């Protein structure tokens, strides 16, 4: 994947596929410790320990449309390439938390990329789920919660295309501000 | 700079549109969002379609997503179903094709035969 935000999209799609009703995303950029951590926690059906242990294996998948499942395998490879690791914690019936960590300054680390596009895609395509997004950069942070947006919107659903467009620009502006830049550069 | 106050202004406009949408039969656009689709560019296709539908003010269109259907080499896949019409699946869609699909198929009702990989 060319951007970490594409891995993030893939992780959130996994959570939705697992029947999650709420998904909590956190991205922690720590320039002082030179770490980047991306975590996705869901309340989906979870995995038995045997499946969780094999989840990052490219020949493990729950799909019946194909016999390979590359999402977590690609992410694990990206983590290992950048002096990081992939951790999967799962409890059947309770949910799964996937945490990917990287050395932030590593030359092979892909950019975070279009996070705003990832969030607009997920929220626009799945207006029923509750998503929180928490992005820390050093001392500053940017937060988003679909629950809060829904309160403001009342009976208007989040998947109205004009609302998705607003959401994408709102996140891009918020993240640029977080980094202290005029425009989000990933 | 976009703010939460902008969202409340949008809400008033969207209320009217939602009422229209609830009454009319909607066109459905479905974007494949499995790992294969994501790696092939499905996110840009999805955001392009959302932007195009918003820009044109189409209120009777629902944009949604699905997982992998097993045609990974044809991703990004986009299904378009107009009310009362068969479902048409387009393959290898990029942002430019996505804009054309909205303009020609969704708005004008003309199926773009050369990009179709299945009809059901």
């Amino acid at each position: 994947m060319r951007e970490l935000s594409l891995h993030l999209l893939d992780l959130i799609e996994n959570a939705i596929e697992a029947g999650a009703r709420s998904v909590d995303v956190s991205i922690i950029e720590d320039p002082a410790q030179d770490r980047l951590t991306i975590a996705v926690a869901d309340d989906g059906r979870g995995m038995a320990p045997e499946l969780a242990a094999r989840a990052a294996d490219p020949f493990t998948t729950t799909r019946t449309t194909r016999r390979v499942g590359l999402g977590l395998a690609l992410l694990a490879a990206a983590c290992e390439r950048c002096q990081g690791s992939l951790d999967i914690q799962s409890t059947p019936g309770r949910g799964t938390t996937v945490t990917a960590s990287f050395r932030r300054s590593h030359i092979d680390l892909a950019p975070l990329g279009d996070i705003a596009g990832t969030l607009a895609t997920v929220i626009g395509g799945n207006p029923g789920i509750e998503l929180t997004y928490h992005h820390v950069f050093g001392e500053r942070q940017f937060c988003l919660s679909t629950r809060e947006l829904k309160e403001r919107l009342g009976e208007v659903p989040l998947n109205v295309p004009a609302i998705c467009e607003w959401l994408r620009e709102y996140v891009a502006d918020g993240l640029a501000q977080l980094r202290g830049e005029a425009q989000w550069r990933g | 700079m976009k703010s939460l106050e902008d969202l409340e202004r949008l809400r008033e406009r969207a209320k009217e549109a939602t009422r229209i949408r609830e009454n009319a039969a909607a066109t459905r656009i479905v974007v494949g969002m499995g790992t294969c689709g994501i790696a092939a560019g499905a996110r840009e296709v999805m955001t392009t379609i959302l932007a195009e539908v918003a820009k044109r003010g189409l209120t009777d269109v629902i944009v949604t997503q699905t997982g992998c259907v097993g045609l990974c080499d044809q991703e990004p896949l986009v299904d378009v179903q107009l009310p009362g019409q068969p479902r048409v699946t387009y393959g290898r869609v990029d942002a430019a094709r996505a804009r054309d699909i909205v303009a020609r198929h969704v708005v004008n009702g003309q199926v773009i035969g050369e990009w179709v990989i299945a009809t059901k």
Side-chain angles (χ1 to χ4, degrees), chain A residues 78-109:
Chain A
C79 292
E80 282 156 26
R81 200 156 59 222
C82 300
Q83 291 174 279
S85 60
L86 181 71
D87 178 66
I88 301 168
Q89 299 291 333
S90 193
T91 311
R94 299 276 303 273
T96 300
T97 299
V98 177
T99 309
S101 72
F102 312 86
R103 193 178 124 204
R104 194 168 169 268
S105 65
H106 200 285
I107 188 90
D108 288 327
L109 186 68

Side-chain angles (χ1 to χ4, degrees), chain A residues 45-184:
Chain A
R45 71 180 70 89
M47 293 180 279
E50 308 84 69
L51 180 60
R54 289 186 293 121
D57 180 310
F59 296 101
T60 294
T61 182
T62 56
R63 288 188 190 283
T64 52
T65 52
R66 49 172 154 76
R67 273 152 51 203
V68 293
L70 299 182
L72 288 170
L74 289 170
L75 180 56
C79 292
E80 282 156 26
R81 200 156 59 222
C82 300
Q83 291 174 279
S85 60
L86 181 71
D87 178 66
I88 301 168
Q89 299 291 333
S90 193
T91 311
R94 299 276 303 273
T96 300
T97 299
V98 177
T99 309
S101 72
F102 312 86
R103 193 178 124 204
R104 194 168 169 268
S105 65
H106 200 285
I107 188 90
D108 288 327
L109 186 68
L112 280 170
D114 186 11
I115 289 175
T118 283
L119 294 181
T121 294
V122 168
I123 294 169
N126 307 277
I129 64 155
E130 296 302 345
L131 185 136
T132 64
Y133 179 81
H134 190 75
H135 190 143
V136 177
F137 178 77
E139 305 280 292
R140 292 200 291 263
Q141 56 176 312
F142 170 81
C143 296
L144 183 86
S145 143
T146 53
R147 215 170 248 122
E148 194 188 317
L149 296 179
K150 283 174 187 174
E151 270 169 31
R152 283 182 184 259
L153 281 169
E155 72 269 42
V156 175
L158 267 173
N159 64 343
V160 171
I163 305 285
C164 297
E165 272 297 282
W166 170 87
L167 179 75
R168 194 158 65 96
E169 291 175 35
Y170 177 72
V171 172
D173 288 348
L175 293 180
Q177 208 169 38
L178 182 69
R179 288 258 185 92
E181 294 167 350
Q183 222 184 345
W184 173 252

Side-chain angles (χ1 to χ4, degrees), chain A residues 116-127 157-169, chain B residues 21 29-31 33 42-59 61-65 78 95 98-99 102 106:
Chain A
T118 283
L119 294 181
T121 294
V122 168
I123 294 169
N126 307 277
L158 267 173
N159 64 343
V160 171
I163 305 285
C164 297
E165 272 297 282
W166 170 87
L167 179 75
R168 194 158 65 96
E169 291 175 35
Chain B
R21 185 158 79 161
I29 305 177
V30 184
V31 182
M33 206 59 68
R43 184 186 65 190
E44 282 63 34
V45 170
M46 178 90 178
T47 51
T48 301
I49 291 171
L50 288 169
E52 201 65 19
V53 169
K55 195 173 79 184
R56 290 169 175 273
L58 307 178
T59 53
V61 175
I62 294 173
V63 187
T64 175
Q65 57 185 44
V78 173
R99 273 189 287 272
V102 173
V106 177

Side-chain angles (χ1 to χ4, degrees), chain B residues 72-93:
Chain B
C72 308
D73 64 319
Q74 295 290 332
E75 295 280 359
L77 295 174
V78 173
D79 288 348
V80 177
Q81 186 164 25
L82 268 52
Q85 301 275 317
R87 189 181 72 202
V88 175
T89 302
Y90 291 103
R92 307 237 167 121
V93 179

